[in-house]
Amino acid sequence: MPAVSVIVPSYNTEKYIGECIESVLSQTLQDIELIIVDDGSTDGTFSIAKDYAERDPRVKAIQQQNQFAGVARNNGMAHATGEYLYFLDSDDFIDRDMMKSMYAAAKSCDADVV
């Protein structure tokens, strides 16, 4: 079981999704899984996500009909196996030590939420 499941709902963010994915995969905490749920994009977003999934076993690329971000988040949670969940928008990116810091903080006090 990975320490953290990062769930990224995505819709038509082909300009940004690569930087988002790279920021997750370059985390200093490597014990993660990345679940990208494409919400019916009409651009190349899912193709980019699928390419990463084919190259890195920590990445899962899921495609659904357009049902909006909330449904995509729920779909991602249904596929998550991590001890903790983290939601990240597909047009955002995170600092490379963020997961390590948040996971350590959660474990240090047995927190449910950080």
Side-chain angles (χ1 to χ4, degrees):
M1 165 181 13
V4 180
S5 294
V6 180
I7 299 169
V8 178
S10 61
Y11 179 76
N12 287 348
T13 55
E14 72 178 340
K15 287 178 160 181
Y16 313 105
I17 190 87
E19 184 176 10
C20 175
I21 293 169
E22 289 292 333
S23 77
V24 174
L25 296 180
S26 66
Q27 288 294 297
T28 53
L29 176 68
Q30 289 287 298
D31 187 17
I32 59 172
E33 70 177 345
L34 173 58
I35 302 168
I36 305 159
V37 183
D38 182 76
D39 190 37
S41 292
T42 58
D43 64 2
T45 300
F46 184 68
S47 178
I48 294 167
K50 200 166 104 177
D51 182 53
Y52 275 95
E54 290 170 358
R55 291 185 283 140
D56 191 318
R58 298 174 296 164
V59 181
K60 297 177 187 173
I62 301 166
Q63 192 172 37
Q64 67 180 36
Q65 290 182 342
N66 183 250
Q67 299 175 64
F68 303 103
V71 175
R73 284 185 184 93
N74 288 339
N75 194 355
M77 284 192 300
H79 289 86
T81 61
E83 183 179 355
Y84 290 96
L85 301 176
Y86 181 79
F87 295 100
L88 178 64
D89 289 339
S90 59
D91 60 350
D92 290 336
F93 57 92
I94 53 179
D95 183 79
R96 61 182 274 110
D97 291 320
M98 192 189 83
M99 290 293 157
K100 184 177 182 180
S101 298
M102 291 179 73
Y103 184 73
K107 294 304 278 184
S108 73
C109 60
D110 197 28
D112 292 331
V113 178
V114 175

